Amino acid sequence: QVHLVESGGGLVQPGGSLRLSCVASGSIFNIYEMAWYRQAPGKQRELVAAITSGGRTNYADSVKGRFTISRDNAKNTVYLQMNSLKPEDTGVYYCRIQTSYSDYWGQGTQVTVSS
């Protein structure tokens, strides 16, 4: 059984910052890719950023230069530092991990960017 817990979401004004965390626990042997997705109301879930076990990163064009993904392998944790937030960044943010056996998703954390 693998369990993911996200934290760090909330309400922030445009131009502000938030840092999301996602901790994986349970029967985890190897985590390959770790990623953040988001889903805005009425839209499909989309990839925001991903990081491989080797540290290679990939970002959606809309967040390049503003968001930074990182991971702590010893803690089975992935982070998303979000700067210069815009109203269009609003949505539920989900983390996903890819392991030897399957992919796992967190329950999501709400991020609202509004004045």
Side-chain angles (χ1 to χ4, degrees), residues 48-71:
V48 176
I51 184 168
T52 68
S53 56
R56 189 173 71 247
T57 58
N58 179 42
Y59 295 93
D61 288 343
S62 59
V63 306
K64 284 181 180 176
R66 299 188 298 122
F67 291 11
T68 302
I69 190 170
S70 60
R71 62 191 283 174

Side-chain angles (χ1 to χ4, degrees), residues 47-105:
L47 175 68
V48 176
I51 184 168
T52 68
S53 56
R56 189 173 71 247
T57 58
N58 179 42
Y59 295 93
D61 288 343
S62 59
V63 306
K64 284 181 180 176
R66 299 188 298 122
F67 291 11
T68 302
I69 190 170
S70 60
R71 62 191 283 174
D72 185 332
N73 293 326
K75 297 180 179 179
N76 288 337
T77 300
V78 61
Y79 305 96
L80 186 67
Q81 178 66 45
M82 305 186 293
N83 299 328
S84 302
L85 282 160
K86 304 176 181 180
E88 51 264 43
D89 295 318
T90 294
V92 179
Y93 283 68
Y94 300 89
C95 71
R96 177 188 67 85
I97 66 170
Q98 179 190 43
T99 73
S100 305
Y101 300 102
S102 185
D103 286 7
Y104 300 93
W105 291 84

Side-chain angles (χ1 to χ4, degrees), residues 8-19 66-67 82-90 110-115:
L11 173 64
V12 64
Q13 292 187 341
S17 298
L18 284 174
R19 189 191 193 210
R66 299 188 298 122
F67 291 11
M82 305 186 293
N83 299 328
S84 302
L85 282 160
K86 304 176 181 180
E88 51 264 43
D89 295 318
T90 294
Q110 177 69 44
V111 171
T112 302
V113 185
S114 175
S115 55

Side-chain angles (χ1 to χ4, degrees), residues 39-45:
Q39 187 165 20
K43 294 188 177 181
Q44 289 188 330
R45 192 174 297 187

